[in-house]
Amino acid sequence: MAAEERRVVDDIATSALRDHGDGATALYLGTWDPIRGVYVAAYGEAAPGQAATIADHTRIGSITKTFTATAILDLVARGRLALDATLADLVPDMVALHPS
């Protein structure tokens, strides 16, 4: 990810944690884009007086299921994914490399 894009993400994440964190003390962010590349960052404090880092270990529990379902339904609404699509439809090269 280009430096300017990282600065924009950092500004958004910092202000989101500050203005909408609802008591959260840290925010961990990761993006993996085949064109822009990878960017992983941590913001805020992992513990009082201890800066959050990407090396921190946190439990996020079952909330990832909600994130995944929301992302899938958003893609369906945008017409980029069908609920009955299979992995063979979406990533045929990967399926060919790893047949069942």
Side-chain angles (χ1 to χ4, degrees):
M1 182 178 281
E4 181 57 30
E5 291 175 312
R6 289 193 307 269
R7 278 191 291 278
V8 169
V9 169
D10 290 342
D11 289 347
I12 292 168
T14 301
S15 65
L17 180 60
R18 181 187 64 238
D19 300 336
H20 307 287
D22 293 329
T25 61
L27 172 67
Y28 300 91
L29 177 140
T31 180
W32 293 262
D33 185 294
I35 296 169
R36 291 184 172 93
V38 175
Y39 185 54
V40 180
Y43 310 89
E45 291 185 331
Q50 178 183 342
T53 72
I54 60 171
D56 293 339
H57 294 273
T58 39
R59 292 180 46 107
I60 58 173
S62 292
I63 197 159
T64 56
K65 295 177 190 111
T66 305
F67 293 155
T68 302
T70 300
I72 288 170
L73 292 174
D74 182 59
L75 291 171
V76 170
R78 294 175 189 216
R80 297 185 58 198
L81 180 67
L83 285 178
D84 61 351
T86 66
L87 285 176
D89 296 332
L90 301 170
V91 285
D93 293 340
M94 184 185 77
V95 173
L97 286 173
H98 306 281
S100 57

